Amino acid sequence: MDPLLELLQQDARLSAEQLGAQLNRTAEEVAVEIAAKERDGTILGYQAVLDPEKANDTGVLALIEVKVTPERGGGFDRIAERIARFDQVVSCWLMSGGHDLAVVVQGSDLRDVARFVSEKLSSLEGVLSTATHFQLKVYKQNGFLSHASSTGGRLPVSP
Amino acid sequence: MSLSDKISARVQAVPRSGIREFFELVLAAGDVISLGVGEPDFCSPWHIREAAIFSLEKGQTSYTSNLGLLELRKSIAKYVAAKFHVQYQPTTEVLVTVGVSEALDLAFRALLNPGEEVIYHEPCYVSYNPSIYMAYGTPVTVETKIEDDFALRASDVEKAITPKTKIIMLNFPTNPTGGVQPKAELEGIADLAKQHDLIVITDEIYSELLYDDREHHSIAALPGMKERTILMHGFSKAFAMTGFRLGYACSPPELTEAMMKVHQYSMLCAPITAQIAAVEALENGAGPVEKMRKAYWHRRNLVVSELNAAGLSCFQPGGAFYAFPEIRSTGLSSREFAQRLLEEEKVAVVPGTAFGTAGEGFVRCCYATDDQNLATALGRIKAFAARHRVS
């Protein structure tokens, strides 16, 4: 992958100056490239990665396995895009294996997600079945360990 | 009775390490940001730690062969062939040691008769001079210079050769300068070794940490050199495994056997847990190593440009994880610079003189520390340099 994108994926808050210094490029070059990547949709957005427990996030997250009937001509794309457009859907992926789509749904509580699945998702034309799994605890999120203990213990000076 | 009189004359004559002295100052100063370490800030990759834990769960807690686990020696031979382009026999030409430090001690003790000379380059890692001396050898220093980007000139080595010279000792990329050795100069030194029938000991512990698409060249891979070279490498730096204390020496069977004798009666063998972890590192560690190398590379760019912006002239080091800026613009000695930076800005760097007299006028800044600490430390160094500029 592009070294600039790699750095941004590790820490999107680095300024163009900081990115430039690390990549031996000027801040202007970096800023222009980032703007271009935002425009062409390579960079979809920027988010903070939170520990839901510490952030006091009382909402629920569910992974829903969905089986669908692919359409002639459109394959899975049309139905997948239709599902993805719902605000409650955080992620939507076409999968190999026992089901077709994996849909990550966020809701305020259990009932909220249940309502979405029964009223919106299951009732869509082409959806054959759903299996809903609720998230219980987060150990690692987007590459970050929650409850990570420090790995310190280095001496302040060594040869 | 005075106990200090009981200490052997040779050990009495060895001065305390400049780093240890400075270490005590840093401890006393309390809450400092340290660029004074010589080790990665990363923890050993989890897959390596997990392999070590699993071996303990299985009860693998015995001695190993004096040479080291055969499985590890095979992995080492494969890795060395791929990275250094030299073939070694795992059964007779690879010795697993407790770090490169032990390997060095073994090599000097196995090779040196009293008074024989070892040529090495300064500024350098703190142990070379005392290790040679404690093995009854005579250390002979050749300086590397900033105008050569701290590479070693073959012509300078040639001037230092006497009838007593037995060994040329190399360390590239170099701690503390980050200097790398151009292939042409390496070839010049190889020619000298062949011409004067010398042994070459080469500590290539930082070979994985090279930047700007540089390729590592080992002197052992040059024609006619394998048969007179002891190639040393280890797991501390690239694999972030300093505390595992594991290294190795590759050399012709006669030399391996001689070092093994010393190793056998002093260390017996390297710890088995570390050896098992090392197999995992070599077999599956390429991904994490590359990830860490990239992080160091980004930090090097940042550190070098910031130090230069601060008016501390710093050459672009090709490898390792140290920057070695010149601090003469402040009018301070290396020692004063480091001490006052510590007192005034609570940032620890190591005076260049800890690595030999050739280090006067420089300090070593290790950039193996997290980005935020690094940015803060650089900000403070900038303020310090601005306050102390004389010219």
Side-chain angles (χ1 to χ4, degrees):
Chain A
M1 197 166 47
D2 182 277
L4 173 61
L5 292 179
E6 247 174 78
L7 274 181
L8 280 174
Q9 220 175 16
Q10 283 163 29
D11 184 357
R13 294 186 71 206
L14 292 173
S15 67
E17 284 78 17
Q18 289 168 314
L19 290 163
Q22 294 195 35
L23 296 167
N24 260 354
R25 301 174 61 186
T26 66
E28 291 71 34
E29 278 170 23
V30 168
V32 167
E33 191 176 329
I34 291 176
K37 299 260 192 244
E38 286 170 353
R39 265 198 312 276
D40 73 10
T42 307
I43 296 173
L44 292 173
Y46 305 92
Q47 287 178 327
V49 182
L50 302 179
D51 179 334
E53 227 173 280
K54 290 204 176 121
N56 221 355
D57 181 355
T58 52
V60 294
L61 202 77
L63 175 75
I64 304 162
E65 300 170 354
V66 185
K67 282 187 189 163
V68 298
T69 326
E71 294 172 328
R72 188 162 184 159
F76 292 101
D77 288 353
R78 229 165 60 108
I79 180 122
E81 277 162 21
R82 199 159 173 175
I83 291 171
R85 280 176 192 281
F86 285 103
D87 281 347
Q88 293 93 328
V89 173
V90 178
S91 303
C92 179
W93 310 306
L94 179 64
M95 307 295 286
S96 67
H99 58 280
D100 303 309
L101 299 176
V103 181
V104 180
V105 170
Q106 200 158 33
S108 55
D109 53 33
L110 212 115
R111 214 173 294 156
D112 189 33
V113 173
R115 202 180 311 119
F116 173 76
V117 174
S118 58
E119 289 176 14
K120 303 290 182 200
L121 201 54
S122 309
S123 59
L124 279 177
E125 204 185 320
V127 170
L128 297 175
S129 73
T130 62
T132 304
H133 311 273
F134 285 99
Q135 180 193 73
L136 299 182
K137 186 170 177 177
V138 174
Y139 293 93
K140 193 175 190 181
Q141 184 83 22
N142 293 36
F144 296 94
L145 284 171
S146 38
H147 321 286
S149 57
S150 85
T151 53
R154 283 199 304 174
L155 301 172
V157 176
S158 66
Chain B
M1 182 194 70
S2 155
L3 274 183
S4 48
D5 290 344
K6 303 281 183 201
I7 312 290
S8 83
R10 198 151 279 262
V11 170
Q12 278 193 48
V14 173
R16 276 186 90 202
S17 147
I19 285 207
R20 258 186 68 199
E21 223 172 276
F22 198 67
F23 171 70
E24 277 155 25
L25 280 180
V26 173
L27 274 192
D31 188 24
V32 298
I33 297 184
S34 182
L35 308 183
V37 290
E39 65 179 322
D41 58 316
F42 300 102
C43 194
S44 312
W46 172 246
H47 71 105
I48 295 172
R49 287 183 277 156
E50 203 271 342
I53 294 166
F54 184 59
S55 78
L56 289 171
E57 284 176 348
K58 276 196 301 184
Q60 290 179 284
T61 59
S62 56
Y63 292 131
T64 71
S65 145
N66 294 126
L67 288 169
L69 291 170
L70 181 60
E71 190 193 359
L72 174 57
R73 283 180 280 143
K74 283 183 180 164
S75 293
I76 289 170
K78 199 170 75 177
Y79 172 87
V80 168
K83 297 273 177 182
F84 300 83
H85 312 294
V86 206
Q87 309 283 339
Y88 290 99
Q89 275 301 324
T91 47
T92 54
E93 297 184 317
V94 179
L95 173 63
V96 178
T97 59
V98 179
V100 170
S101 293
E102 192 214 348
L104 274 169
D105 181 45
L106 297 178
F108 291 139
R109 285 205 274 164
L111 290 171
L112 289 171
N113 293 305
E116 287 177 333
E117 295 176 354
V118 180
I119 296 173
Y120 72 102
H121 52 95
E122 271 186 6
C124 72
Y125 180 60
V126 295
S127 88
Y128 298 157
N129 181 305
S131 298
I132 296 164
Y133 182 74
M134 286 194 278
Y136 294 88
T138 304
V140 175
T141 314
V142 175
E143 279 188 23
T144 57
K145 300 181 187 75
I146 178 78
E147 53 264 37
D148 302 325
D149 287 354
F150 293 104
L152 178 62
R153 284 191 202 167
S155 57
D156 289 345
V157 174
E158 188 168 21
K159 282 179 220 152
I161 293 174
T162 75
K164 285 188 183 165
T165 305
K166 189 168 213 176
I167 298 169
I168 300 174
M169 156 91 225
L170 303 175
N171 167 228
F172 291 101
T174 308
N175 174 9
T177 63
V180 295
Q181 183 76 339
K183 201 170 173 216
E185 290 296 332
L186 207 58
E187 284 164 348
I189 290 167
D191 290 341
L192 288 173
K194 285 182 278 190
Q195 197 182 323
H196 296 271
D197 192 23
L198 306 176
I199 298 285
V200 172
I201 296 178
T202 176
D203 169 1
E204 300 182 15
I205 186 87
Y206 290 99
S207 64
E208 289 268 14
L209 304 179
L210 283 174
Y211 311 113
D212 315 313
D213 303 319
R214 272 187 185 77
E215 233 182 285
H216 181 67
H217 298 291
S218 175
I219 195 163
L222 297 178
M225 286 309 291
K226 185 200 157 183
E227 41 272 57
R228 57 175 68 252
T229 299
I230 305 178
L231 168 63
M232 295 179 182
H233 198 254
F235 297 87
S236 292
K237 311 299 178 177
F239 297 98
M241 291 172 67
T242 45
F244 280 91
R245 304 303 310 120
L246 207 70
Y248 51 90
C250 300
S251 59
E254 299 86 337
L255 300 184
T256 302
E257 180 61 26
M259 286 192 284
M260 209 277 274
K261 268 193 201 166
V262 185
H263 176 71
Q264 174 180 16
Y265 295 128
S266 52
M267 199 59 74
L268 209 160
C269 68
I272 187 169
T273 312
Q275 294 193 49
I276 290 165
V279 173
E280 173 62 26
L282 290 178
E283 295 302 319
N284 300 307
V289 167
E290 180 54 16
K291 208 170 144 190
M292 292 188 275
R293 192 191 67 84
K294 267 193 189 155
Y296 297 138
W297 174 58
H298 292 149
R299 293 174 193 170
R300 184 212 59 174
N301 294 340
L302 176 74
V303 168
V304 171
S305 70
E306 289 291 297
L307 287 172
N308 278 311
L312 302 175
S313 149
C314 184
F315 94 105
Q316 183 93 281
F321 39 52
Y322 308 106
F324 204 59
E326 204 171 338
I327 49 89
R328 293 198 172 97
S329 63
T330 59
L332 301 170
S333 73
S334 297
R335 171 93 202 179
E336 286 165 348
F337 182 96
Q339 204 163 339
R340 294 180 66 170
L341 181 66
L342 184 65
E343 286 161 7
E344 294 172 28
E345 297 286 348
K346 297 238 168 207
V347 174
V349 298
V350 182
T353 43
F355 310 98
T357 47
E360 184 53 84
F362 298 87
V363 295
R364 188 189 75 176
C365 305
C366 173
Y367 49 80
T369 196
D370 72 67
D371 297 352
Q372 206 173 349
N373 269 336
L374 203 55
T376 313
L378 288 167
R380 294 185 189 176
I381 291 175
K382 244 182 182 168
F384 179 85
R387 223 168 36 241
H388 291 273
R389 186 161 306 137
V390 279
S391 48

